[in-house]
Amino acid sequence: MDLRSFLDSAGCRYAWSRHGEAFTARSLAQREHVPAHHVIKPVLINVDGEFVLCALPATHRIDLNILQMELGAEETRLANEQELQSLCSDCEPGAQPPIGWLFGLPTFMDESLFDDGQVTFQAGNHREAVTMSFMDYYRLAKPAVGHFGHECPRGTKAHEAGMRI
């Protein structure tokens, strides 16, 4: 099922927008004129040979050591581009929506995303986005929740390395 059909069948309210190409979560925030902490960045992680789609704010990076401890895993690593493309083949690389079960994957969300407001995320390509209430996102994604992200101040090397979707 494609994202738009999924959202429509779930009966949630959302806005679908088009914008200039945005290849990072922070650039998506700029294109959509929303705060970066309201943009959900999906990151595909290999956990002991199984994949998990992690969701965190554009302003954060995953701490793989903490994620590994929280999941009780032996090994965690970022998925490579080939793995990402094979699991999310209907999406442009790095533009998958942060709803893992659309791809047959569990979603693990950083608790820093909890908010009473709106969230925005890529709609499967680098030119379209979805904005909806956080509570609708949470209801649809059905994520497990942890605390595996940490904020990266703009202008730091960690920020620059971690801002790609």
Side-chain angles (χ1 to χ4, degrees):
M1 176 180 295
D2 72 356
L3 178 62
R4 193 182 301 257
S5 299
F6 170 68
L7 296 174
D8 290 341
S9 69
C12 66
R13 297 180 61 161
Y14 65 92
W16 193 283
S17 59
R18 294 187 63 77
H19 51 77
E21 286 191 329
F23 291 98
T24 68
R26 285 191 187 260
S27 65
L28 176 60
Q30 291 172 342
R31 295 277 190 197
E32 291 292 315
H33 308 287
V34 298
H37 65 274
H38 287 235
V39 172
I40 302 176
K41 172 172 58 176
V43 181
L44 188 63
I45 303 291
N46 184 306
V47 179
D48 291 339
E50 302 289 327
F51 290 96
V52 173
L53 189 66
C54 291
L56 63 161
T59 55
H60 286 57
R61 278 189 78 186
I62 290 179
D63 184 319
L64 289 176
N65 292 327
I66 291 174
L67 180 66
Q68 185 171 328
M69 285 188 328
E70 286 188 4
L71 296 176
E74 298 277 325
E75 179 184 8
T76 56
R77 67 170 175 80
L78 293 171
N80 63 42
E81 204 167 309
Q82 185 177 21
E83 292 166 329
L84 178 63
Q85 191 57 37
S86 70
L87 290 167
C88 306
S89 60
D90 292 343
C91 300
E92 291 178 6
Q96 69 274 13
I99 302 171
W101 76 265
L102 286 172
F103 312 105
L105 303 171
T107 303
F108 195 49
M109 181 188 91
D110 189 75
E111 68 184 5
S112 62
L113 275 173
F114 274 107
D115 193 310
D116 289 334
Q118 304 281 311
V119 293
T120 300
F121 52 87
Q122 297 279 27
N125 63 61
H126 297 288
R127 296 163 307 286
E128 294 177 303
V130 170
T131 299
M132 62 175 28
S133 76
F134 168 78
M135 290 312 295
D136 276 343
Y137 166 75
Y138 186 76
R139 179 177 58 86
L140 295 174
K142 299 178 178 88
V145 179
H147 185 72
F148 54 87
H150 59 86
E151 192 164 6
C152 293
R154 285 182 72 73
T156 64
K157 286 186 179 194
H159 157 76
E160 298 302 323
M163 65 186 268
R164 297 225 20 112
I165 292 178

